[in-house]
Amino acid sequence: TMGNLVKKTTLTVRDQILAFAPPEAPYMAIGIQVNTSAAGSDGIVKAGTPMAGNIETVAAAFTKAATTGDPGSEVNDAVGILLHDVKPADDANGTLLIFGAVNLNRLDTDVQALIDEHAKKALDGKIWFLKR
């Protein structure tokens, strides 16, 4: 006899982190691969996480953005914001917001902490952070 060939998958849908739902306001996003090193203890890289990588070639998996440098001249290497949760060990495909507006009130508290002055400066003119 053949066993049950149906696989059940339960998915959860997170709140939209965009400040404005399309087509109300424009946004631009690209498909990326997310490195497992970016994941938290639960294995998930949360929506709203600033990400670093090469958006021109998208050749290597993206990592969580970091701030480095001497005090007073720190630089954050963020090139965009992760649009949805990703669990890289299961499926590394992600969507990187590279232009648009993010509603900070829709981000988890630990992710909000990553949107500091350095990340905001790195994304200035590309991503706007609003509390709506």
Side-chain angles (χ1 to χ4, degrees), residues 68-127:
T68 57
D70 297 325
S73 62
E74 300 97 336
V75 176
N76 186 288
D77 59 356
V79 294
I81 297 291
L82 196 61
L83 196 53
H84 305 288
D85 288 359
V86 174
K87 192 169 186 180
D90 293 349
D91 183 355
N93 291 316
T95 306
L96 186 72
L97 182 70
I98 59 173
F99 179 84
V102 170
N103 184 347
L104 288 169
N105 291 335
R106 294 182 181 159
L107 304 182
D108 288 346
T109 306
D110 54 336
V111 176
Q112 286 181 18
L114 301 174
I115 313 291
D116 62 8
E117 62 179 300
H118 303 296
K120 287 179 180 176
K121 185 176 179 182
L123 297 168
D124 187 40
K126 302 171 195 154
I127 310 285

Side-chain angles (χ1 to χ4, degrees), residues 35 43 132:
N35 193 304
R132 297 191 71 218

Side-chain angles (χ1 to χ4, degrees), residues 29 51 131:
M51 301 298 290
K131 290 187 177 182

